[in-house]
Amino acid sequence: MPILSRPALVEHLVRTRIAGNVATPRDNNLSHYRKLANGDRHYWLGLELGDRWTDEQDVLAVMAERCGVNDDPAHRAGQDTIDPELTVDALDRAAARLRKAAAGKERVLFATGHPGALIDAHSRVAAALRARGCDIVRIPGGLVADEGYVVQFADVAVFERGASLWHTHSPEPMNAILDALGEDGRPDLVVADHGWAGRAGQRGVDSVGYADCNDPALFIGEAEGTMQVTIPLDDHVVDPRFYEPMTAYLLDAAGVGD
């Protein structure tokens, strides 16, 4: 796949609604910001936020700055946005961390709570890092969490229940992995999303995460320094292949592309 220039990637992100005018509506975003501020741990995505983010307007301010949502608190419904320039900025920061991982032949774990959308993007990065000598974590067998199983496909840890891969925000699958690996098997870097990324960062592992505009916790995590990088995007667009140019750009920027 040809590597897009930054302007061409921005255009692609907007055209496919990975960024720009995204599908997630404003009222859904604000509802999630309010629930995070009210202490609903489902929306903390594995982070421990204490009482530092009890004002919904403070959460909105972070999301406007780091994700590009509309910063007007009076805008309560309708269209909301992700700034594609912020998406590419975050991809560049993530690329710097991947470059470090490749240079040090680090031990890297990949995981996703969005297997229907992001598993291929994660898998491609895992393959590229393995080709540069990184140790891609193979999770132990038999792990259980949330009344299901933590399994691995194409080098990416996912949550399975009832013979199906599940969309999950829970941090418990990442807890199960890190507990089973122990200190000797601890990864140097986690590349993930949702509670998988947040809990890794909370437990002191360098963590790079993808996050949608209705998932404010990971952006707060980067603002506080718990997350290394949080990449704003719509994390489930209509065709997973839309992420391919973004992934190619990331790998090229990291110096680990083909």
Side-chain angles (χ1 to χ4, degrees), residues 26 29-30 33 53 56-73 75 80-87 89 212-216 219-220 223 232:
R26 176 67 167 192
N29 285 342
L30 294 182
Y33 305 169
W53 298 91
E56 177 185 345
Q57 300 311 314
D58 290 341
V59 179
L60 174 60
V62 168
M63 294 303 292
E65 176 188 11
R66 293 179 174 269
C67 184
V69 302
N70 189 315
D71 64 357
D72 182 2
H75 178 48
D80 214 339
T81 55
I82 293 175
D83 184 341
E85 297 287 351
L86 293 179
T87 303
D89 287 346
D212 210 328
C213 54
N214 63 353
D215 290 329
F219 296 98
I220 289 173

Side-chain angles (χ1 to χ4, degrees), residues 232-249:
L233 48 66
D234 185 319
D235 56 14
H236 202 137
V237 293
V238 294
D239 188 341
R241 290 174 293 188
F242 289 164
Y243 298 109
E244 290 177 358
M246 180 194 78
T247 305
Y249 176 95

Side-chain angles (χ1 to χ4, degrees), residues 119-134:
I119 193 168
D120 186 58
H122 286 304
S123 180
R124 287 170 184 259
V125 178
L129 289 183
R130 175 180 280 113
R132 298 311 188 276
C134 288

Side-chain angles (χ1 to χ4, degrees), residues 87 90-91 94 208-212 219 222 229-233 246 250:
T87 303
L91 288 170
V208 170
Y210 295 107
D212 210 328
F219 296 98
E222 185 179 10
V229 182
T230 299
I231 302 166
L233 48 66
M246 180 194 78
L250 173 64

Side-chain angles (χ1 to χ4, degrees), residues 1-184:
M1 174 174 292
I3 307 303
L4 298 183
S5 66
R6 181 184 178 113
L9 179 61
V10 166
E11 189 279 331
H12 170 79
L13 295 173
V14 172
R15 179 171 49 81
T16 58
R17 302 186 74 185
I18 293 173
N21 290 332
V22 293
T24 310
R26 176 67 167 192
D27 57 330
N28 182 262
N29 285 342
L30 294 182
S31 172
H32 286 205
Y33 305 169
R34 182 169 55 255
K35 289 173 180 176
L36 179 147
N38 288 340
D40 186 335
R41 285 177 173 267
H42 175 77
Y43 296 92
W44 288 14
L45 300 182
L47 294 165
E48 293 298 332
L49 303 179
D51 59 0
R52 299 184 298 279
W53 298 91
T54 58
D55 187 333
E56 177 185 345
Q57 300 311 314
D58 290 341
V59 179
L60 174 60
V62 168
M63 294 303 292
E65 176 188 11
R66 293 179 174 269
C67 184
V69 302
N70 189 315
D71 64 357
D72 182 2
H75 178 48
R76 308 299 300 178
Q79 183 65 58
D80 214 339
T81 55
I82 293 175
D83 184 341
E85 297 287 351
L86 293 179
T87 303
V88 182
D89 287 346
L91 288 170
D92 288 339
R93 296 196 302 277
R97 185 60 187 86
L98 295 178
R99 191 180 307 115
K100 177 184 175 183
K105 300 188 186 314
E106 291 183 346
R107 184 167 165 78
V108 188
L109 171 65
F110 292 83
T112 185
H114 257 295
L118 295 176
I119 193 168
D120 186 58
H122 286 304
S123 180
R124 287 170 184 259
V125 178
L129 289 183
R130 175 180 280 113
R132 298 311 188 276
C134 288
D135 178 12
I136 305 305
V137 173
R138 183 176 175 87
I139 69 170
L143 298 183
V144 295
D146 296 331
E147 300 180 350
Y149 297 93
V150 186
V151 297
Q152 198 165 28
F153 291 97
D155 293 322
V156 185
V158 292
F159 179 68
E160 185 269 336
R161 190 195 303 172
S164 297
L165 303 185
W166 280 52
H167 171 217
T168 178
H169 288 212
S170 173
E172 294 308 319
M174 181 56 72
N175 274 335
I177 293 172
L178 294 179
D179 289 346
L181 291 173
E183 285 301 314
D184 290 343

